[in-house]
Amino acid sequence: MNIIEVKNVNRSFQNGKEIAEVLKNINLTVEEGEFISIMGPSGGGKSTLLYLLGGLDMPTSGTVTVSGRDLSKLDDKELCRMRNEELGFVFQFYNLVPNLNVEDNMSLPLMIAGKKRSEYKQKLDEVLEIIGMTDKRKLTPRELSGGQQQRVAIARALVFDPKVLFLDEPIGNLDSKTGLRIMELFREINQKYGKTIVQVTHSEASAQYGTKLVRLVDGQIMSEELITSELPVHKITNSKDLGKSVNF
């Protein structure tokens, strides 16, 4: 079953009299349970495509369908609800609220949706266990390592049990060892919990954690290939060594 369908999508931006064509005639399907890695050089349109898939932006032409719904036909309220409750987002920067503890940061999507946190206690506990931070629920971001902060961002994206998890360079701000462990966590979330994942990455090694690789160059899909080989986890190299702790 295709959970995402992209048909004849183009995205252009106008800057004064000039028009920049960022995406050109994109056609792509994502099956339920897949882990898609979109890879290509900087400026090739990877993040723009991810934002279109997640409803954070709209195409200039063409259609993006998620769970059978054309995103361009949803009103603002419907689109906001879908992004908050059905889709999860993890970015390169953790975007945590500094003065809130782990549990409070995880609960932000519930607050936005007007849900009672008490009704989601079991889910919060479950997600904390998935990310391995049950004993750190009362700590604030400044008391956590970079990898731990990214785990909280992942947990926040999982609170509503989203159908699709979107990752935009999720380990780009981490040292290599921490990045490796975060990618292993994403693979576990995909394989053990059946989450559909779409990630954008510059790294061939990070891409190997997925099930399919889509190469995007100059706004066009150049190839799609299945990933079938065993993952050489020790070779991940795209993360920046920022001297951060690798304790989880």
Side-chain angles (χ1 to χ4, degrees):
M1 176 181 175
N2 292 333
I3 194 166
I4 299 176
E5 295 185 353
V6 181
K7 296 182 179 179
N8 305 319
V9 159
N10 295 275
R11 184 65 172 106
S12 61
F13 297 91
Q14 187 163 356
N15 184 12
K17 295 182 179 180
E18 296 184 0
I19 296 179
E21 296 182 356
V22 179
L23 295 174
K24 308 165 189 175
N25 197 37
I26 299 294
N27 289 277
L28 178 68
T29 59
V30 178
E31 294 183 10
E32 190 171 351
E34 277 193 306
F35 187 161
I36 305 294
S37 295
I38 303 172
M39 186 178 175
S42 297
K46 301 187 303 299
S47 292
T48 299
L49 177 56
L50 191 77
Y51 297 161
L52 293 179
L53 300 182
L56 297 174
D57 190 18
M58 289 294 156
T60 305
S61 62
T63 60
V64 177
T65 304
V66 178
S67 298
R69 287 170 288 177
D70 183 346
L71 298 186
S72 66
K73 294 183 179 179
L74 300 180
D75 60 33
D76 289 343
K77 185 176 180 179
E78 292 171 326
L79 196 57
C80 286
R81 189 199 62 78
M82 172 181 271
R83 288 194 300 251
N84 191 47
E85 299 181 22
E86 299 183 35
L87 308 176
F89 299 89
V90 180
F91 300 97
Q92 178 175 344
F93 299 98
Y94 324 123
N95 298 320
L96 303 180
V97 180
N99 61 331
L100 297 183
N101 64 31
V102 168
E103 263 189 327
D104 291 339
N105 269 288
M106 288 171 55
S107 301
L108 286 175
L110 303 177
M111 296 170 59
I112 292 172
K115 305 290 185 180
K116 292 183 179 179
R117 179 166 156 176
S118 59
E119 296 176 357
Y120 285 81
K121 184 183 183 304
Q122 183 176 347
K123 186 64 180 179
L124 290 168
D125 290 343
E126 176 187 335
V127 174
L128 276 167
E129 186 174 349
I130 289 173
I131 66 169
M133 291 183 62
T134 301
D135 60 337
K136 295 178 174 60
R137 63 175 70 210
K138 297 303 181 182
L139 299 183
T140 58
R142 63 176 171 271
E143 299 174 280
L144 304 175
S145 68
Q148 290 168 337
Q149 290 185 58
Q150 189 63 299
R151 283 178 175 249
V152 177
I154 294 167
R156 181 179 57 198
L158 292 173
V159 165
F160 269 123
D161 198 18
K163 296 178 180 178
V164 187
L165 194 60
F166 294 102
L167 318 175
D168 190 5
E169 297 285 0
I171 64 169
N173 201 34
L174 299 173
D175 64 83
S176 59
K177 290 182 180 179
T178 306
L180 182 150
R181 295 178 183 181
I182 292 295
M183 290 309 304
E184 289 175 344
L185 176 60
F186 286 132
R187 183 172 57 178
E188 179 184 2
I189 291 169
N190 171 248
Q191 295 180 352
K192 185 175 179 180
Y193 300 97
K195 289 297 173 193
T196 304
I197 298 179
V198 181
Q199 80 158 334
V200 157
T201 181
H202 283 93
S203 167
E204 191 85 36
S206 292
Q208 295 302 310
Y209 281 83
T211 58
K212 186 165 73 174
L213 173 58
V214 177
R215 296 188 185 276
L216 190 69
V217 179
D218 294 333
Q220 296 179 297
I221 293 179
M222 305 306 293
S223 66
E224 297 183 33
E225 54 197 80
L226 295 178
I227 299 172
T228 57
S229 60
E230 282 295 318
L231 179 68
V233 295
H234 61 286
K235 290 185 179 180
I236 189 165
T237 58
N238 78 308
S239 300
K240 300 174 182 176
D241 186 357
L242 299 179
K244 295 183 178 178
S245 167
V246 295
N247 295 323
F248 280 73

